[in-house]
mmCIF file with all atom_site columns, all heavy atoms in Angstrom:
data_model
loop_
_atom_site.group_PDB
_atom_site.id
_atom_site.type_symbol
_atom_site.label_atom_id
_atom_site.label_alt_id
_atom_site.label_comp_id
_atom_site.label_asym_id
_atom_site.label_entity_id
_atom_site.label_seq_id
_atom_site.pdbx_PDB_ins_code
_atom_site.Cartn_x
_atom_site.Cartn_y
_atom_site.Cartn_z
_atom_site.occupancy
_atom_site.B_iso_or_equiv
_atom_site.pdbx_formal_charge
_atom_site.auth_seq_id
_atom_site.auth_comp_id
_atom_site.auth_asym_id
_atom_site.auth_atom_id
_atom_site.pdbx_PDB_model_num
ATOM 1   N N   . ASN A 1 1  ? 82.956  97.472  118.008 1.00 92.00 ? 1  ASN A N   1
ATOM 2   C CA  . ASN A 1 1  ? 82.014  97.762  116.865 1.00 92.00 ? 1  ASN A CA  1
ATOM 3   C C   . ASN A 1 1  ? 81.441  96.552  116.242 1.00 92.00 ? 1  ASN A C   1
ATOM 4   O O   . ASN A 1 1  ? 80.949  96.523  115.129 1.00 92.00 ? 1  ASN A O   1
ATOM 5   C CB  . ASN A 1 1  ? 82.675  98.565  115.907 1.00 92.00 ? 1  ASN A CB  1
ATOM 6   C CG  . ASN A 1 1  ? 82.734  100.052 116.288 1.00 92.00 ? 1  ASN A CG  1
ATOM 7   O OD1 . ASN A 1 1  ? 81.726  100.843 116.204 1.00 92.00 ? 1  ASN A OD1 1
ATOM 8   N ND2 . ASN A 1 1  ? 83.857  100.533 116.872 1.00 92.00 ? 1  ASN A ND2 1
ATOM 9   N N   . GLY A 1 2  ? 81.561  95.429  116.995 1.00 92.00 ? 2  GLY A N   1
ATOM 10  C CA  . GLY A 1 2  ? 80.930  94.170  116.431 1.00 92.00 ? 2  GLY A CA  1
ATOM 11  C C   . GLY A 1 2  ? 81.677  93.237  115.673 1.00 92.00 ? 2  GLY A C   1
ATOM 12  O O   . GLY A 1 2  ? 81.205  92.246  115.167 1.00 92.00 ? 2  GLY A O   1
ATOM 13  N N   . LEU A 1 3  ? 82.984  93.507  115.423 1.00 95.00 ? 3  LEU A N   1
ATOM 14  C CA  . LEU A 1 3  ? 83.873  92.696  114.523 1.00 95.00 ? 3  LEU A CA  1
ATOM 15  C C   . LEU A 1 3  ? 84.484  91.655  115.526 1.00 95.00 ? 3  LEU A C   1
ATOM 16  O O   . LEU A 1 3  ? 84.754  91.940  116.618 1.00 95.00 ? 3  LEU A O   1
ATOM 17  C CB  . LEU A 1 3  ? 84.861  93.459  113.853 1.00 95.00 ? 3  LEU A CB  1
ATOM 18  C CG  . LEU A 1 3  ? 84.313  94.135  112.577 1.00 95.00 ? 3  LEU A CG  1
ATOM 19  C CD1 . LEU A 1 3  ? 83.508  95.276  112.899 1.00 95.00 ? 3  LEU A CD1 1
ATOM 20  C CD2 . LEU A 1 3  ? 85.500  94.583  111.765 1.00 95.00 ? 3  LEU A CD2 1
ATOM 21  N N   . GLU A 1 4  ? 84.682  90.477  114.919 1.00 97.00 ? 4  GLU A N   1
ATOM 22  C CA  . GLU A 1 4  ? 85.552  89.481  115.645 1.00 97.00 ? 4  GLU A CA  1
ATOM 23  C C   . GLU A 1 4  ? 86.991  89.673  115.010 1.00 97.00 ? 4  GLU A C   1
ATOM 24  O O   . GLU A 1 4  ? 87.191  89.559  113.874 1.00 97.00 ? 4  GLU A O   1
ATOM 25  C CB  . GLU A 1 4  ? 84.993  88.068  115.260 1.00 97.00 ? 4  GLU A CB  1
ATOM 26  C CG  . GLU A 1 4  ? 84.912  87.159  116.259 1.00 97.00 ? 4  GLU A CG  1
ATOM 27  C CD  . GLU A 1 4  ? 84.200  85.885  115.835 1.00 97.00 ? 4  GLU A CD  1
ATOM 28  O OE1 . GLU A 1 4  ? 83.027  85.799  115.668 1.00 97.00 ? 4  GLU A OE1 1
ATOM 29  O OE2 . GLU A 1 4  ? 84.993  84.938  115.535 1.00 97.00 ? 4  GLU A OE2 1
ATOM 30  N N   . VAL A 1 5  ? 87.983  89.870  115.896 1.00 98.00 ? 5  VAL A N   1
ATOM 31  C CA  . VAL A 1 5  ? 89.278  90.055  115.442 1.00 98.00 ? 5  VAL A CA  1
ATOM 32  C C   . VAL A 1 5  ? 90.248  89.052  116.292 1.00 98.00 ? 5  VAL A C   1
ATOM 33  O O   . VAL A 1 5  ? 90.212  88.927  117.485 1.00 98.00 ? 5  VAL A O   1
ATOM 34  C CB  . VAL A 1 5  ? 89.827  91.459  115.829 1.00 98.00 ? 5  VAL A CB  1
ATOM 35  C CG1 . VAL A 1 5  ? 91.254  91.610  115.334 1.00 98.00 ? 5  VAL A CG1 1
ATOM 36  C CG2 . VAL A 1 5  ? 88.890  92.450  115.161 1.00 98.00 ? 5  VAL A CG2 1
ATOM 37  N N   . THR A 1 6  ? 90.953  88.220  115.432 1.00 97.00 ? 6  THR A N   1
ATOM 38  C CA  . THR A 1 6  ? 91.717  87.187  115.989 1.00 97.00 ? 6  THR A CA  1
ATOM 39  C C   . THR A 1 6  ? 93.131  87.322  115.639 1.00 97.00 ? 6  THR A C   1
ATOM 40  O O   . THR A 1 6  ? 93.471  87.415  114.512 1.00 97.00 ? 6  THR A O   1
ATOM 41  C CB  . THR A 1 6  ? 91.228  85.781  115.576 1.00 97.00 ? 6  THR A CB  1
ATOM 42  O OG1 . THR A 1 6  ? 89.809  85.568  115.902 1.00 97.00 ? 6  THR A OG1 1
ATOM 43  C CG2 . THR A 1 6  ? 92.027  84.602  116.212 1.00 97.00 ? 6  THR A CG2 1
ATOM 44  N N   . ASP A 1 7  ? 93.973  87.375  116.680 1.00 96.00 ? 7  ASP A N   1
ATOM 45  C CA  . ASP A 1 7  ? 95.472  87.519  116.230 1.00 96.00 ? 7  ASP A CA  1
ATOM 46  C C   . ASP A 1 7  ? 95.959  86.232  115.782 1.00 96.00 ? 7  ASP A C   1
ATOM 47  O O   . ASP A 1 7  ? 96.032  85.164  116.675 1.00 96.00 ? 7  ASP A O   1
ATOM 48  C CB  . ASP A 1 7  ? 96.144  88.014  117.593 1.00 96.00 ? 7  ASP A CB  1
ATOM 49  C CG  . ASP A 1 7  ? 97.716  88.253  117.399 1.00 96.00 ? 7  ASP A CG  1
ATOM 50  O OD1 . ASP A 1 7  ? 98.191  87.919  116.374 1.00 96.00 ? 7  ASP A OD1 1
ATOM 51  O OD2 . ASP A 1 7  ? 98.354  88.784  118.359 1.00 96.00 ? 7  ASP A OD2 1
ATOM 52  N N   . MET A 1 8  ? 96.429  86.079  114.650 1.00 96.00 ? 8  MET A N   1
ATOM 53  C CA  . MET A 1 8  ? 96.916  84.775  114.052 1.00 96.00 ? 8  MET A CA  1
ATOM 54  C C   . MET A 1 8  ? 98.377  84.558  114.192 1.00 96.00 ? 8  MET A C   1
ATOM 55  O O   . MET A 1 8  ? 98.896  83.492  114.087 1.00 96.00 ? 8  MET A O   1
ATOM 56  C CB  . MET A 1 8  ? 96.449  84.609  112.605 1.00 96.00 ? 8  MET A CB  1
ATOM 57  C CG  . MET A 1 8  ? 94.915  84.547  112.508 1.00 96.00 ? 8  MET A CG  1
ATOM 58  S SD  . MET A 1 8  ? 94.378  84.474  110.848 1.00 96.00 ? 8  MET A SD  1
ATOM 59  C CE  . MET A 1 8  ? 95.143  82.987  110.265 1.00 96.00 ? 8  MET A CE  1
ATOM 60  N N   . LYS A 1 9  ? 99.176  85.785  114.347 1.00 94.00 ? 9  LYS A N   1
ATOM 61  C CA  . LYS A 1 9  ? 100.548 85.566  114.351 1.00 94.00 ? 9  LYS A CA  1
ATOM 62  C C   . LYS A 1 9  ? 101.168 86.947  115.076 1.00 94.00 ? 9  LYS A C   1
ATOM 63  O O   . LYS A 1 9  ? 101.607 87.820  114.328 1.00 94.00 ? 9  LYS A O   1
ATOM 64  C CB  . LYS A 1 9  ? 101.158 85.482  112.856 1.00 94.00 ? 9  LYS A CB  1
ATOM 65  C CG  . LYS A 1 9  ? 102.576 85.289  112.892 1.00 94.00 ? 9  LYS A CG  1
ATOM 66  C CD  . LYS A 1 9  ? 103.108 85.177  111.448 1.00 94.00 ? 9  LYS A CD  1
ATOM 67  C CE  . LYS A 1 9  ? 104.654 85.008  111.513 1.00 94.00 ? 9  LYS A CE  1
ATOM 68  N NZ  . LYS A 1 9  ? 105.110 85.157  110.112 1.00 94.00 ? 9  LYS A NZ  1
ATOM 69  N N   . ASP A 1 10 ? 101.365 86.808  116.317 1.00 94.00 ? 10 ASP A N   1
ATOM 70  C CA  . ASP A 1 10 ? 102.093 87.856  117.085 1.00 94.00 ? 10 ASP A CA  1
ATOM 71  C C   . ASP A 1 10 ? 101.813 89.254  116.704 1.00 94.00 ? 10 ASP A C   1
ATOM 72  O O   . ASP A 1 10 ? 102.730 90.137  116.530 1.00 94.00 ? 10 ASP A O   1
ATOM 73  C CB  . ASP A 1 10 ? 103.623 87.647  116.975 1.00 94.00 ? 10 ASP A CB  1
ATOM 74  C CG  . ASP A 1 10 ? 103.949 86.216  117.352 1.00 94.00 ? 10 ASP A CG  1
ATOM 75  O OD1 . ASP A 1 10 ? 103.421 85.639  118.394 1.00 94.00 ? 10 ASP A OD1 1
ATOM 76  O OD2 . ASP A 1 10 ? 104.889 85.611  116.773 1.00 94.00 ? 10 ASP A OD2 1
ATOM 77  N N   . GLN A 1 11 ? 100.495 89.627  116.578 1.00 92.00 ? 11 GLN A N   1
ATOM 78  C CA  . GLN A 1 11 ? 100.136 90.900  116.290 1.00 92.00 ? 11 GLN A CA  1
ATOM 79  C C   . GLN A 1 11 ? 100.636 91.477  114.981 1.00 92.00 ? 11 GLN A C   1
ATOM 80  O O   . GLN A 1 11 ? 100.768 92.646  114.648 1.00 92.00 ? 11 GLN A O   1
ATOM 81  C CB  . GLN A 1 11 ? 100.404 92.051  117.341 1.00 92.00 ? 11 GLN A CB  1
ATOM 82  C CG  . GLN A 1 11 ? 99.702  91.665  118.672 1.00 92.00 ? 11 GLN A CG  1
ATOM 83  C CD  . GLN A 1 11 ? 99.811  92.888  119.721 1.00 92.00 ? 11 GLN A CD  1
ATOM 84  O OE1 . GLN A 1 11 ? 100.644 93.777  119.542 1.00 92.00 ? 11 GLN A OE1 1
ATOM 85  N NE2 . GLN A 1 11 ? 98.898  92.689  120.600 1.00 92.00 ? 11 GLN A NE2 1
ATOM 86  N N   . GLU A 1 12 ? 100.901 90.534  114.022 1.00 95.00 ? 12 GLU A N   1
ATOM 87  C CA  . GLU A 1 12 ? 101.273 90.838  112.582 1.00 95.00 ? 12 GLU A CA  1
ATOM 88  C C   . GLU A 1 12 ? 100.235 90.443  111.631 1.00 95.00 ? 12 GLU A C   1
ATOM 89  O O   . GLU A 1 12 ? 100.067 91.177  110.588 1.00 95.00 ? 12 GLU A O   1
ATOM 90  C CB  . GLU A 1 12 ? 102.597 90.011  112.239 1.00 95.00 ? 12 GLU A CB  1
ATOM 91  C CG  . GLU A 1 12 ? 103.829 90.464  113.135 1.00 95.00 ? 12 GLU A CG  1
ATOM 92  C CD  . GLU A 1 12 ? 104.238 91.913  112.751 1.00 95.00 ? 12 GLU A CD  1
ATOM 93  O OE1 . GLU A 1 12 ? 104.000 92.401  111.642 1.00 95.00 ? 12 GLU A OE1 1
ATOM 94  O OE2 . GLU A 1 12 ? 104.800 92.562  113.687 1.00 95.00 ? 12 GLU A OE2 1
ATOM 95  N N   . VAL A 1 13 ? 99.418  89.381  111.865 1.00 97.00 ? 13 VAL A N   1
ATOM 96  C CA  . VAL A 1 13 ? 98.456  88.951  110.992 1.00 97.00 ? 13 VAL A CA  1
ATOM 97  C C   . VAL A 1 13 ? 97.233  88.681  111.782 1.00 97.00 ? 13 VAL A C   1
ATOM 98  O O   . VAL A 1 13 ? 97.233  88.051  112.852 1.00 97.00 ? 13 VAL A O   1
ATOM 99  C CB  . VAL A 1 13 ? 99.002  87.652  110.337 1.00 97.00 ? 13 VAL A CB  1
ATOM 100 C CG1 . VAL A 1 13 ? 97.758  87.118  109.348 1.00 97.00 ? 13 VAL A CG1 1
ATOM 101 C CG2 . VAL A 1 13 ? 100.140 87.748  109.512 1.00 97.00 ? 13 VAL A CG2 1
ATOM 102 N N   . PHE A 1 14 ? 96.021  89.150  111.192 1.00 98.00 ? 14 PHE A N   1
ATOM 103 C CA  . PHE A 1 14 ? 94.720  89.092  111.997 1.00 98.00 ? 14 PHE A CA  1
ATOM 104 C C   . PHE A 1 14 ? 93.675  88.572  110.991 1.00 98.00 ? 14 PHE A C   1
ATOM 105 O O   . PHE A 1 14 ? 93.631  88.754  109.807 1.00 98.00 ? 14 PHE A O   1
ATOM 106 C CB  . PHE A 1 14 ? 94.267  90.458  112.481 1.00 98.00 ? 14 PHE A CB  1
ATOM 107 C CG  . PHE A 1 14 ? 95.284  91.088  113.396 1.00 98.00 ? 14 PHE A CG  1
ATOM 108 C CD1 . PHE A 1 14 ? 96.254  91.975  112.853 1.00 98.00 ? 14 PHE A CD1 1
ATOM 109 C CD2 . PHE A 1 14 ? 95.125  90.876  114.683 1.00 98.00 ? 14 PHE A CD2 1
ATOM 110 C CE1 . PHE A 1 14 ? 97.192  92.406  113.846 1.00 98.00 ? 14 PHE A CE1 1
ATOM 111 C CE2 . PHE A 1 14 ? 96.067  91.519  115.609 1.00 98.00 ? 14 PHE A CE2 1
ATOM 112 C CZ  . PHE A 1 14 ? 97.098  92.277  115.048 1.00 98.00 ? 14 PHE A CZ  1
ATOM 113 N N   . TRP A 1 15 ? 92.712  87.738  111.623 1.00 98.00 ? 15 TRP A N   1
ATOM 114 C CA  . TRP A 1 15 ? 91.605  87.175  110.911 1.00 98.00 ? 15 TRP A CA  1
ATOM 115 C C   . TRP A 1 15 ? 90.489  88.144  111.438 1.00 98.00 ? 15 TRP A C   1
ATOM 116 O O   . TRP A 1 15 ? 90.256  88.358  112.692 1.00 98.00 ? 15 TRP A O   1
ATOM 117 C CB  . TRP A 1 15 ? 91.472  85.794  111.440 1.00 98.00 ? 15 TRP A CB  1
ATOM 118 C CG  . TRP A 1 15 ? 90.238  85.071  110.808 1.00 98.00 ? 15 TRP A CG  1
ATOM 119 C CD1 . TRP A 1 15 ? 90.120  84.697  109.554 1.00 98.00 ? 15 TRP A CD1 1
ATOM 120 C CD2 . TRP A 1 15 ? 89.002  84.816  111.401 1.00 98.00 ? 15 TRP A CD2 1
ATOM 121 N NE1 . TRP A 1 15 ? 88.902  84.013  109.316 1.00 98.00 ? 15 TRP A NE1 1
ATOM 122 C CE2 . TRP A 1 15 ? 88.140  84.149  110.490 1.00 98.00 ? 15 TRP A CE2 1
ATOM 123 C CE3 . TRP A 1 15 ? 88.520  85.157  112.683 1.00 98.00 ? 15 TRP A CE3 1
ATOM 124 C CZ2 . TRP A 1 15 ? 86.855  83.771  110.809 1.00 98.00 ? 15 TRP A CZ2 1
ATOM 125 C CZ3 . TRP A 1 15 ? 87.288  84.733  112.979 1.00 98.00 ? 15 TRP A CZ3 1
ATOM 126 C CH2 . TRP A 1 15 ? 86.440  84.053  112.135 1.00 98.00 ? 15 TRP A CH2 1
ATOM 127 N N   . VAL A 1 16 ? 89.751  88.838  110.513 1.00 97.00 ? 16 VAL A N   1
ATOM 128 C CA  . VAL A 1 16 ? 88.751  89.704  110.951 1.00 97.00 ? 16 VAL A CA  1
ATOM 129 C C   . VAL A 1 16 ? 87.477  89.214  110.367 1.00 97.00 ? 16 VAL A C   1
ATOM 130 O O   . VAL A 1 16 ? 87.344  88.865  109.116 1.00 97.00 ? 16 VAL A O   1
ATOM 131 C CB  . VAL A 1 16 ? 88.995  91.091  110.361 1.00 97.00 ? 16 VAL A CB  1
ATOM 132 C CG1 . VAL A 1 16 ? 87.892  92.128  110.654 1.00 97.00 ? 16 VAL A CG1 1
ATOM 133 C CG2 . VAL A 1 16 ? 90.325  91.678  110.959 1.00 97.00 ? 16 VAL A CG2 1
ATOM 134 N N   . LYS A 1 17 ? 86.418  89.078  111.228 1.00 96.00 ? 17 LYS A N   1
ATOM 135 C CA  . LYS A 1 17 ? 85.005  88.647  110.809 1.00 96.00 ? 17 LYS A CA  1
ATOM 136 C C   . LYS A 1 17 ? 84.053  89.710  111.073 1.00 96.00 ? 17 LYS A C   1
ATOM 137 O O   . LYS A 1 17 ? 83.889  90.190  112.278 1.00 96.00 ? 17 LYS A O   1
ATOM 138 C CB  . LYS A 1 17 ? 84.695  87.385  111.467 1.00 96.00 ? 17 LYS A CB  1
ATOM 139 C CG  . LYS A 1 17 ? 83.317  86.885  111.079 1.00 96.00 ? 17 LYS A CG  1
ATOM 140 C CD  . LYS A 1 17 ? 83.022  85.554  111.876 1.00 96.00 ? 17 LYS A CD  1
ATOM 141 C CE  . LYS A 1 17 ? 81.627  85.154  111.401 1.00 96.00 ? 17 LYS A CE  1
ATOM 142 N NZ  . LYS A 1 17 ? 81.215  83.930  112.320 1.00 96.00 ? 17 LYS A NZ  1
ATOM 143 N N   . PHE A 1 18 ? 83.341  90.220  109.998 1.00 93.00 ? 18 PHE A N   1
ATOM 144 C CA  . PHE A 1 18 ? 82.363  91.233  110.209 1.00 93.00 ? 18 PHE A CA  1
ATOM 145 C C   . PHE A 1 18 ? 81.124  90.641  110.624 1.00 93.00 ? 18 PHE A C   1
ATOM 146 O O   . PHE A 1 18 ? 80.854  89.414  110.516 1.00 93.00 ? 18 PHE A O   1
ATOM 147 C CB  . PHE A 1 18 ? 82.118  91.882  108.843 1.00 93.00 ? 18 PHE A CB  1
ATOM 148 C CG  . PHE A 1 18 ? 83.251  92.820  108.421 1.00 93.00 ? 18 PHE A CG  1
ATOM 149 C CD1 . PHE A 1 18 ? 84.420  92.349  107.852 1.00 93.00 ? 18 PHE A CD1 1
ATOM 150 C CD2 . PHE A 1 18 ? 83.093  94.172  108.610 1.00 93.00 ? 18 PHE A CD2 1
ATOM 151 C CE1 . PHE A 1 18 ? 85.411  93.141  107.427 1.00 93.00 ? 18 PHE A CE1 1
ATOM 152 C CE2 . PHE A 1 18 ? 84.097  95.049  108.127 1.00 93.00 ? 18 PHE A CE2 1
ATOM 153 C CZ  . PHE A 1 18 ? 85.233  94.589  107.561 1.00 93.00 ? 18 PHE A CZ  1
ATOM 154 N N   . PRO A 1 19 ? 80.164  91.419  111.139 1.00 89.00 ? 19 PRO A N   1
ATOM 155 C CA  . PRO A 1 19 ? 78.901  90.890  111.640 1.00 89.00 ? 19 PRO A CA  1
ATOM 156 C C   . PRO A 1 19 ? 77.929  90.062  110.641 1.00 89.00 ? 19 PRO A C   1
ATOM 157 O O   . PRO A 1 19 ? 77.285  89.168  111.098 1.00 89.00 ? 19 PRO A O   1
ATOM 158 C CB  . PRO A 1 19 ? 78.094  92.088  112.146 1.00 89.00 ? 19 PRO A CB  1
ATOM 159 C CG  . PRO A 1 19 ? 79.128  93.138  112.545 1.00 89.00 ? 19 PRO A CG  1
ATOM 160 C CD  . PRO A 1 19 ? 80.294  92.827  111.536 1.00 89.00 ? 19 PRO A CD  1
ATOM 161 N N   . THR A 1 20 ? 78.306  90.506  109.361 1.00 89.00 ? 20 THR A N   1
ATOM 162 C CA  . THR A 1 20 ? 77.482  89.668  108.365 1.00 89.00 ? 20 THR A CA  1
ATOM 163 C C   . THR A 1 20 ? 78.109  88.441  108.028 1.00 89.00 ? 20 THR A C   1
ATOM 164 O O   . THR A 1 20 ? 77.504  87.605  107.368 1.00 89.00 ? 20 THR A O   1
ATOM 165 C CB  . THR A 1 20 ? 77.571  90.599  107.028 1.00 89.00 ? 20 THR A CB  1
ATOM 166 O OG1 . THR A 1 20 ? 78.870  90.718  106.629 1.00 89.00 ? 20 THR A OG1 1
ATOM 167 C CG2 . THR A 1 20 ? 76.902  91.894  107.289 1.00 89.00 ? 20 THR A CG2 1
ATOM 168 N N   . GLY A 1 21 ? 79.277  88.002  108.560 1.00 92.00 ? 21 GLY A N   1
ATOM 169 C CA  . GLY A 1 21 ? 80.000  86.874  108.216 1.00 92.00 ? 21 GLY A CA  1
ATOM 170 C C   . GLY A 1 21 ? 81.128  86.977  107.310 1.00 92.00 ? 21 GLY A C   1
ATOM 171 O O   . GLY A 1 21 ? 81.897  86.058  107.117 1.00 92.00 ? 21 GLY A O   1
ATOM 172 N N   . TYR A 1 22 ? 81.191  88.170  106.687 1.00 92.00 ? 22 TYR A N   1
ATOM 173 C CA  . TYR A 1 22 ? 82.350  88.398  105.770 1.00 92.00 ? 22 TYR A CA  1
ATOM 174 C C   . TYR A 1 22 ? 83.654  88.253  106.534 1.00 92.00 ? 22 TYR A C   1
ATOM 175 O O   . TYR A 1 22 ? 83.805  88.866  107.634 1.00 92.00 ? 22 TYR A O   1
ATOM 176 C CB  . TYR A 1 22 ? 82.174  89.763  105.099 1.00 92.00 ? 22 TYR A CB  1
ATOM 177 C CG  . TYR A 1 22 ? 83.394  90.267  104.233 1.00 92.00 ? 22 TYR A CG  1
ATOM 178 C CD1 . TYR A 1 22 ? 83.622  89.657  103.014 1.00 92.00 ? 22 TYR A CD1 1
ATOM 179 C CD2 . TYR A 1 22 ? 84.192  91.210  104.584 1.00 92.00 ? 22 TYR A CD2 1
ATOM 180 C CE1 . TYR A 1 22 ? 84.661  90.042  102.146 1.00 92.00 ? 22 TYR A CE1 1
ATOM 181 C CE2 . TYR A 1 22 ? 85.331  91.627  103.836 1.00 92.00 ? 22 TYR A CE2 1
ATOM 182 C CZ  . TYR A 1 22 ? 85.486  91.005  102.662 1.00 92.00 ? 22 TYR A CZ  1
ATOM 183 O OH  . TYR A 1 22 ? 86.513  91.468  101.872 1.00 92.00 ? 22 TYR A OH  1
ATOM 184 N N   . ARG A 1 23 ? 84.631  87.584  105.979 1.00 94.00 ? 23 ARG A N   1
ATOM 185 C CA  . ARG A 1 23 ? 85.904  87.387  106.656 1.00 94.00 ? 23 ARG A CA  1
ATOM 186 C C   . ARG A 1 23 ? 87.097  87.780  105.792 1.00 94.00 ? 23 ARG A C   1
ATOM 187 O O   . ARG A 1 23 ? 87.009  87.658  104.617 1.00 94.00 ? 23 ARG A O   1
ATOM 188 C CB  . ARG A 1 23 ? 86.036  85.854  106.989 1.00 94.00 ? 23 ARG A CB  1
ATOM 189 C CG  . ARG A 1 23 ? 85.045  85.224  107.849 1.00 94.00 ? 23 ARG A CG  1
ATOM 190 C CD  . ARG A 1 23 ? 85.287  83.806  108.075 1.00 94.00 ? 23 ARG A CD  1
ATOM 191 N NE  . ARG A 1 23 ? 84.173  83.123  108.594 1.00 94.00 ? 23 ARG A NE  1
ATOM 192 C CZ  . ARG A 1 23 ? 83.237  82.583  107.946 1.00 94.00 ? 23 ARG A CZ  1
ATOM 193 N NH1 . ARG A 1 23 ? 83.268  82.580  106.670 1.00 94.00 ? 23 ARG A NH1 1
ATOM 194 N NH2 . ARG A 1 23 ? 82.207  81.987  108.542 1.00 94.00 ? 23 ARG A NH2 1
ATOM 195 N N   . ILE A 1 24 ? 88.084  88.264  106.503 1.00 95.00 ? 24 ILE A N   1
ATOM 196 C CA  . ILE A 1 24 ? 89.276  88.679  105.658 1.00 95.00 ? 24 ILE A CA  1
ATOM 197 C C   . ILE A 1 24 ? 90.491  88.613  106.472 1.00 95.00 ? 24 ILE A C   1
ATOM 198 O O   . ILE A 1 24 ? 90.375  88.688  107.794 1.00 95.00 ? 24 ILE A O   1
ATOM 199 C CB  . ILE A 1 24 ? 89.032  90.318  105.266 1.00 95.00 ? 24 ILE A CB  1
ATOM 200 C CG1 . ILE A 1 24 ? 90.228  90.702  104.282 1.00 95.00 ? 24 ILE A CG1 1
ATOM 201 C CG2 . ILE A 1 24 ? 88.953  91.158  106.406 1.00 95.00 ? 24 ILE A CG2 1
ATOM 202 C CD1 . ILE A 1 24 ? 89.793  92.049  103.560 1.00 95.00 ? 24 ILE A CD1 1
#
């Protein structure tokens, strides 16, 4: 659905970037 999802710690913590650039 266009989001960038990066596993930061063994599927416990994720960095999520929306298409607009908003990150969480």
Side-chain angles (χ1 to χ4, degrees):
N1 279 283
L3 280 71
E4 224 177 276
V5 182
T6 305
D7 183 352
M8 294 177 63
K9 185 180 176 193
D10 304 320
Q11 295 191 347
E12 293 293 331
V13 179
F14 298 89
W15 180 79
V16 179
K17 181 179 176 189
F18 287 82
T20 61
Y22 174 71
R23 296 175 196 97
I24 188 168

